[in-house]
Amino acid sequence: MEAVILCMALNLYFEARNQPLDGQIAVSQVVVNRVLDERYPDDPCEVVMQGPTYPDSSLPIKHKCQFSWYCDGKSDKPNDWDAFRWSFEVSRRVWYGEVVDLTYGATHYHATRVTPDWSYRAHHTITVGDHIFYRWEHD
């Protein structure tokens, strides 16, 4: 199993497994868009795990990660294997460019039930399912 696809699949599984296919593709595309953006790590695993860690540790600080599932204190082990296999397939297709970027280059998103303060400073590109996607323009 390719590590890159595994990281993307875990992110998709925990962030959007309950979303329509377009929403799942969009969440995975954000990881790829960050990899392509010079402001973020150039590896999907580093993008997914990005966030501050505790001093003298590699453990992420709770609720401070770029993707909330990664440091929410809950298990990061999938328990719905059909959904995880699906997440893996969607992530593979997005990583290898087999689908169109319907986010228009989005590097950020959030659930519709919240309104982060940064959302007013970013360019809204699309809303899919329960997520709103944004492109953060270069300064």
Side-chain angles (χ1 to χ4, degrees):
M1 191 180 292
E2 295 178 64
V4 164
I5 308 300
L6 176 60
C7 292
M8 289 180 61
L10 285 167
N11 192 62
L12 172 53
Y13 177 85
F14 287 110
E15 292 280 312
R17 71 178 176 270
N18 66 337
Q19 296 299 296
L21 178 58
D22 284 354
Q24 294 176 6
I25 290 169
V27 163
S28 290
Q29 189 66 53
V30 164
V31 174
V32 172
N33 291 344
R34 285 186 177 203
V35 166
L36 297 172
D37 188 311
E38 64 192 22
R39 297 171 291 184
Y40 297 94
D42 60 3
D43 175 84
C45 294
E46 291 178 33
V47 165
V48 168
M49 295 181 242
Q50 188 175 20
T53 57
Y54 289 103
D56 302 321
S57 170
S58 62
L59 295 174
I61 297 174
K62 194 171 184 180
H63 305 301
K64 298 290 184 186
C65 298
Q66 294 291 311
F67 298 97
S68 59
W69 70 271
Y70 185 67
C71 61
D72 62 5
K74 299 176 185 174
S75 172
D76 293 342
K77 249 181 112 170
N79 57 17
D80 180 341
W81 290 105
D82 289 337
F84 184 66
R85 278 190 290 277
W86 178 255
S87 297
F88 191 87
E89 181 59 24
V90 170
S91 297
R92 185 192 66 74
R93 288 175 183 247
V94 171
W95 178 249
Y96 287 111
E98 296 175 14
V99 296
V100 174
D101 178 5
L102 52 92
T103 72
Y104 303 99
T107 54
H108 292 71
Y109 65 88
H110 64 80
T112 55
R113 68 181 180 279
V114 299
T115 308
D117 60 354
W118 59 259
S119 66
Y120 298 105
R121 297 185 311 271
H123 175 76
H124 173 255
T125 62
I126 192 170
T127 299
V128 184
D130 294 343
H131 291 101
I132 303 171
F133 295 83
Y134 301 86
R135 185 175 54 247
W136 198 275
E137 303 297 340
H138 287 271
D139 296 328

